[in-house]
Amino acid sequence: MTERSGNGKVIFSEYRRGEAIKKALTMTREEILLEIRESKLKGRGGAGFPTSTKWMLSAAAVADEKYVICNADEGEPGTFKDRLLLMEYPELIFDGMVIAGYTIGAKKGIVYLRGEYEYLKEQLESYLEQMKTDNLLGKAILNNKEFDFDVIIRLGSGAYVCGEETALIESLEGFRGEARNRPPYPVNTGFQGKPTIVNNVETFAAVTHIIMKGSQWFKKYGTDKSTGSKLFSVSGDCDKPGVYELPMGIRISELLKIVGAKNTKAVQVGGASGICLPKSQFERTLAYEDVPSGGSIIIFNESRNMLKVLKNFMEFFVEESCGQCTPCRIGNIKLLEGVNMIESGNYTFKYINQLKELGKTMQLASKCGLGQSSPNPFISILENFSEEIFNNSEER
Amino acid sequence: MLVLEKNTMTEEIEKLVEKYGNLRSSLLPILQEIQSVHKYIPDFAQQEVARLLNIHPVEVYSVISFYTFLNTKPKGRYLVRLCKTISCDMQGKQAIARAIERELGISFGETTKDNKFTLEYINCLGMCDKGPAMLINNKVYTKLTPEKAIQIINEIQ
């Protein structure tokens, strides 16, 4: 067992391998679905889709095969909580996947691990072997003759867009990672056209705890609309960067205190595709009803140049756009050009305002979440830090 | 490619197809294995994979061209990839980048003459709390300083 670095009350609370599976197998599928619905668990990847709804739809779908996919394509800049879970808490993730398989009636689970984490693959595979030895995976799990479930690990190959569930499925099927049109949703027509659930690593970990300790226990933490706790990956200008488990609904200012951030000027919530908040908004809360995120928190102190930060994000999107839809493919290039214009002091406000409008068009017209959220930093940084950016540009 | 090399390549790919099954969904794992052995996916290998999976070679090429980690041109035996995302950038990525460039005598995107190192940037490695970070093949190195980065590179035999 590796040394544990997590510290928290829900996800990082005490758990022994296999316990939740044992308990789940004594419950009916409906009971499990009800328990998860009662917990009001929402997707921990950041989109916040109610997990129970996703599972109910795929459980109700009729098909000869179903799939459980764990989205471990943690590509959002500033996120590393899933890496920690995969490294140190695999029992939470895999037990959650087995429970999901039992609940929706799937026999196969796939972990889509990002290519950058290939060094974890061997360790995870040997862990899966141990689970098979303990009869927690494979044929007739815990001597339950009705229930077979197996998990394989597939690697990504360095494409951020593959974190989008339909692009992830395309990639697993051996195609370019280009998002599909929805509907039909993966819960009906997913991997190989079969009902499929795709959940974030942390979502599976939460399910394991909910089944073990009950939805009431889970709801003790967080707010009414965002129950439970959330893992936050904190990096940037602070004394103690790392993964923190904090209750949902925590104020940004409280989080900054906990991680020892001083002279903070801005906080980027939700990674490159998130929004950048200035000091005046540090009293906002980290929850689905206020500032939703997948848990990436990047802190900038007074010494940082926000235009450089924005440029870094826009370069990222230009590189990672998959290129199938025009708003995202061309829009991101245009936004980056705009940032370069500001940097060289060669711009008009008229044109910058047009670019902000273009950003809004991209939010509406892009095919998937990448293009819909890539204008977020552009719009939020230019609006929240306009004074710094436009008043100093002559000097740069 | 010599006939002998082609035959060896074909055998190798046949084994991979046997291992993963001749389904379209096996395409990525097969390409990933070829990539990790040869450091690139030669044209002939693309044609063979296509033949054995019963798809058009251009389909294979289109998949390779989409993914950053798959390439059709040879690269060095050691692929040094430095994270360039904002958190690593704030922790001094630039100094590391310059130091490695100086030491190896190449710029980013290039390969050393002895074909030992290829230097590239990579997007977020998920090591933001321990930056700057780099990957060398599949090994991750964190909390780099220019000195430490060079030491790591020099230790690679």
Side-chain angles (χ1 to χ4, degrees):
Chain A
M1 213 62 261
T2 46
E3 196 188 325
R4 305 290 181 108
S5 54
N7 181 356
K9 293 196 169 97
V10 181
I11 301 284
F12 291 144
S13 63
E14 199 60 32
Y15 179 73
R16 278 215 311 281
R17 178 166 79 203
E19 281 179 341
I21 300 177
K22 209 174 286 176
K23 189 170 169 190
L25 293 182
T26 64
M27 299 160 80
T28 64
R29 288 174 179 178
E30 290 71 28
E31 282 171 340
I32 293 175
L33 287 169
L34 265 174
E35 194 68 51
I36 296 171
R37 194 172 77 182
E38 209 36 50
S39 74
K40 295 189 186 171
L41 175 66
K42 289 179 175 171
R44 291 299 194 240
F49 190 79
T51 307
S52 62
T53 310
K54 196 182 272 186
W55 289 25
M56 274 175 197
L57 288 167
S58 53
V62 181
D64 53 343
E65 284 216 328
K66 295 181 184 179
Y67 295 96
V68 173
I69 295 177
C70 172
N71 184 346
D73 191 82
E74 189 180 32
E76 189 65 61
T79 335
F80 44 92
K81 63 180 176 72
D82 295 347
R83 167 176 57 86
L84 181 98
L85 286 172
L86 290 158
M87 270 176 150
E88 301 180 16
Y89 297 84
E91 69 278 12
L92 293 175
I93 304 161
F94 293 130
D95 287 10
M97 284 181 79
V98 173
I99 293 165
Y102 174 74
T103 310
I104 70 163
K107 284 187 167 49
K108 285 197 183 110
I110 306 168
V111 176
Y112 188 89
L113 184 69
R114 65 188 297 226
E116 291 85 343
Y117 289 174
E118 194 177 338
Y119 58 90
L120 296 172
K121 189 170 182 243
E122 214 169 299
Q123 182 185 329
L124 291 170
E125 279 178 339
S126 74
Y127 183 84
L128 290 172
E129 285 306 314
Q130 282 175 34
M131 276 180 85
K132 281 180 189 153
T133 316
D134 295 353
N135 195 222
L136 295 168
L137 207 63
K139 292 242 177 298
I141 291 174
L142 295 175
N143 303 325
N144 185 319
K145 288 192 174 49
E146 307 281 280
F147 181 42
D148 306 340
F149 188 75
D150 206 356
V151 173
I152 56 166
I153 294 173
R154 280 274 189 267
L155 282 170
S157 263
Y160 165 75
V161 69
C162 288
E164 200 278 343
E165 62 174 7
T166 58
L168 186 152
I169 291 169
E170 284 284 305
S171 175
L172 281 174
E173 289 182 1
F175 293 88
R176 295 160 67 94
E178 292 174 346
R180 295 174 177 176
N181 279 325
R182 293 184 293 186
Y185 291 94
V187 288
N188 298 310
T189 314
F191 182 60
Q192 310 290 27
K194 307 288 184 198
T196 303
I197 54 169
V198 183
N199 282 119
N200 176 267
V201 171
E202 193 188 338
T203 310
F204 284 118
V207 164
T208 301
H209 282 299
I210 290 167
I211 295 303
M212 203 54 227
K213 295 163 186 161
S215 53
Q216 293 308 324
W217 167 84
F218 186 77
K219 278 199 291 195
K220 279 197 306 203
Y221 307 94
T223 67
D224 180 46
K225 284 201 176 102
S226 312
T227 51
S229 71
K230 175 90 190 78
L231 299 186
F232 292 100
S233 318
V234 182
S235 66
D237 296 315
C238 63
D239 294 340
K240 294 176 286 196
V243 175
Y244 288 81
E245 182 181 345
L246 300 166
M248 280 279 196
I250 189 167
R251 288 179 197 287
I252 294 169
S253 56
E254 290 173 62
L255 181 137
L256 292 176
K257 230 176 268 157
I258 294 169
V259 303
K262 293 176 200 71
N263 302 326
T264 307
K265 173 163 72 176
V267 175
Q268 179 80 18
V269 182
S273 62
I275 53 169
C276 197
L277 300 172
K279 220 180 223 158
S280 57
Q281 295 185 36
F282 287 176
E283 289 312 302
R284 290 179 70 177
T285 58
L286 296 161
Y288 296 115
E289 61 269 28
D290 192 359
V291 189
S293 83
S296 166
I297 305 280
I298 308 173
I299 302 168
F300 304 106
N301 69 15
E302 294 291 353
S303 71
R304 301 294 174 185
N305 174 341
M306 294 316 286
L307 193 65
K308 250 185 80 174
V309 172
L310 175 57
K311 190 176 174 176
N312 188 297
F313 288 149
M314 291 327 297
E315 281 172 347
F316 170 78
F317 285 123
V318 167
E319 254 175 54
E320 294 294 349
S321 170
C322 84
Q324 65 168 328
C325 78
T326 315
C328 173
R329 181 182 65 240
I330 300 183
N332 281 314
I333 291 176
K334 286 288 158 204
L335 297 186
L336 177 61
E337 276 174 11
V339 175
N340 288 331
M341 283 164 140
I342 299 171
E343 204 175 21
S344 62
N346 197 358
Y347 65 95
T348 60
F349 281 111
K350 186 179 163 197
Y351 186 60
I352 298 301
N353 287 333
Q354 275 178 338
L355 286 180
K356 283 185 194 166
E357 286 303 311
L358 171 70
K360 287 178 183 144
T361 306
M362 288 163 68
Q363 287 172 332
L364 285 173
S366 294
K367 187 172 177 179
C368 83
L370 192 154
Q372 287 159 15
S373 57
S374 64
N376 288 351
F378 185 86
I379 294 170
S380 66
I381 290 181
L382 288 190
E383 285 185 352
N384 293 332
F385 302 94
S386 60
E387 199 171 315
E388 169 196 339
I389 289 170
F390 295 113
N391 293 359
N392 300 336
S393 58
E394 309 313 308
E395 297 158 25
R396 264 201 301 275
Chain B
M1 243 183 186
L2 301 168
V3 174
L4 266 179
E5 285 174 354
K6 282 187 174 175
N7 289 347
T8 331
M9 182 65 89
T10 303
E11 272 172 38
E12 191 185 316
I13 294 169
E14 277 169 350
K15 277 200 193 102
L16 288 175
V17 172
E18 213 169 291
K19 178 175 167 185
Y20 291 106
N22 68 341
L23 306 160
R24 174 79 199 232
S25 59
S26 314
L27 179 58
L28 263 179
I30 291 170
L31 294 177
Q32 283 161 350
E33 289 222 16
I34 299 170
Q35 170 79 39
S36 77
V37 174
H38 300 272
K39 306 297 171 206
Y40 78 116
I41 303 162
D43 288 357
F44 179 73
Q46 293 173 46
Q47 290 162 16
E48 284 299 273
V49 171
R51 181 177 65 86
L52 292 163
L53 293 186
N54 237 333
I55 51 181
H56 201 285
V58 81
E59 284 282 332
V60 178
Y61 179 78
S62 102
V63 167
I64 295 171
S65 66
F66 182 87
Y67 294 97
T68 319
F69 287 12
L70 303 174
N71 41 281
T72 55
K73 296 275 181 293
K75 285 191 181 177
R77 292 194 300 283
Y78 294 95
L79 185 49
V80 181
R81 289 182 287 205
L82 181 68
C83 177
K84 65 169 183 191
T85 305
I86 194 74
S87 294
C88 281
D89 190 77
M90 296 199 302
Q91 292 170 89
K93 168 216 80 182
Q94 201 60 8
I96 316 284
R98 294 293 87 84
I100 299 176
E101 281 182 328
R102 278 197 311 270
E103 207 70 18
L104 295 179
I106 51 171
S107 303
F108 276 81
E110 294 178 346
T111 303
T112 52
K113 278 201 179 68
D114 60 0
N115 210 13
K116 192 169 172 182
F117 292 104
T118 298
L119 185 55
E120 284 180 356
Y121 278 123
I122 192 171
N123 284 323
C124 196
L125 280 177
M127 284 289 170
C128 325
D129 54 337
K130 302 193 192 85
M134 69 177 173
L135 268 181
I136 299 185
N137 289 352
N138 284 324
K139 222 171 151 191
V140 75
Y141 299 92
T142 54
K143 293 192 173 168
L144 296 173
T145 59
E147 222 171 333
K148 192 174 157 188
I150 301 309
Q151 197 185 341
I152 291 163
I153 284 174
N154 287 340
E155 275 169 11
I156 289 174
Q157 291 307 327

